[in-house]
Amino acid sequence: MASEITYAEVKFKNASPAAVVEVPPETKKHEHHPQKYPPWLPWLISLLLLLACIALVIALLGEYLQVVVPFSRSGDQPTALQQTFMEWQCTSAEPQGKGRGWMCCPKGWKHFQNSCYYLSADKMSWAESEQNCTGMGSHLVVINTEAEQAFLTKELQVPTGINYYIGLRAQAVGQWQWVDQTPYSERAAFWRKDEPNNHGDDEMCVVIHSSSVIHNWNDLRCESHYRICEASAVTV
């Protein structure tokens, strides 16, 4: 005979109720609001970028600057050259007194060491040439060193076969004198072979004959030729 299974409900006293875990409510997500910038900030950034570009250009160019009327320092008396020309080309130089660091020549003139040189495109007599140079605040070129002669020779190589007056002239046959009263020296003279020939008293003026040879001076008649004017470079 199968045994009968009896079920009974049993209750325990002092039993702890099931622990209830309180879950905190879900944290509310913060809404994302775009950060506001002052309206002038883009302009400031653009200005800074512009200044950076300008500084970069100056750094790259470095040794060359073209300026218009760069001479406004109080106490400096403008030279005749400065009063004559409005546009100038300046190259960087070693700082020298009064914080000046640029050497300037009129636009279109050649710069070498401390001087500016003008090579004319028209012809005049020697006297007219010197008068023309003086009117620009300069004088016919006075050549003092071999380096200066080499510079001018290089500048005059193209085209060849052209004569340019320099500031050397004879008061009497064989008595050469520079226009600025610099003493004439044979050691700083660059005559062509067999020159000067002192041909009578009709070859009293001196030209540079454009060629690749550094010894290219020639005495000839004071007729119409091109000219080279020289003036001291202006420092700013």
Side-chain angles (χ1 to χ4, degrees), residues 2 76 80-81 90 97-98 109 125 159 162 179 192 204 215:
D76 286 357
L81 193 70
C90 301
K98 300 182 181 179
W109 290 47
S125 68
I162 297 178
V179 292
R192 299 176 68 181
M204 308 292 279
H215 288 83

Side-chain angles (χ1 to χ4, degrees), residues 28-149:
K28 186 178 181 181
K29 294 183 179 180
H30 294 285
E31 295 182 2
H32 179 70
H33 297 284
Q35 188 175 357
K36 294 183 177 180
Y37 296 99
W40 46 263
L41 185 59
W43 294 98
L44 178 60
I45 295 175
S46 299
L47 178 60
L48 292 176
L49 290 175
L50 177 61
L51 293 176
C53 291
I54 293 174
L56 179 61
V57 170
I58 293 176
L60 293 175
L61 295 180
E63 296 184 354
Y64 178 81
L65 176 67
Q66 180 172 316
V67 293
V68 178
V69 196
F71 315 108
S72 58
R73 295 175 179 272
S74 59
D76 286 357
Q77 183 64 34
T79 65
L81 193 70
Q82 292 171 233
Q83 295 175 342
T84 303
F85 296 95
M86 298 296 290
E87 293 189 63
W88 294 70
Q89 293 174 332
C90 301
T91 54
S92 61
E94 291 295 329
Q96 42 189 304
K98 300 182 181 179
R100 300 184 173 194
W102 297 91
M103 300 192 72
C104 303
C105 291
K107 185 177 180 180
W109 290 47
K110 308 291 185 179
H111 173 238
F112 179 72
Q113 294 183 346
N114 297 322
S115 294
C116 305
Y117 301 87
Y118 169 73
L119 280 59
S120 78
D122 61 331
K123 298 179 180 181
M124 294 180 178
S125 68
W126 191 95
E128 291 172 331
S129 295
E130 173 57 12
Q131 185 177 8
N132 176 263
C133 292
T134 302
M136 295 189 293
S138 60
H139 54 73
L140 281 173
V141 62
V142 175
I143 301 172
N144 299 300
T145 65
E146 183 174 346
E148 185 178 20
Q149 171 68 12

Side-chain angles (χ1 to χ4, degrees), residues 156-190:
L156 298 176
Q157 283 185 15
V158 180
T160 60
I162 297 178
N163 294 324
Y164 287 81
Y165 275 129
I166 64 176
L168 188 63
R169 185 176 181 178
Q171 299 301 318
V173 176
Q175 297 180 8
W176 303 107
Q177 185 175 351
W178 291 105
V179 292
D180 68 347
Q181 306 304 312
T182 296
Y184 171 77
S185 173
E186 288 289 349
R187 291 179 297 179
F190 302 91

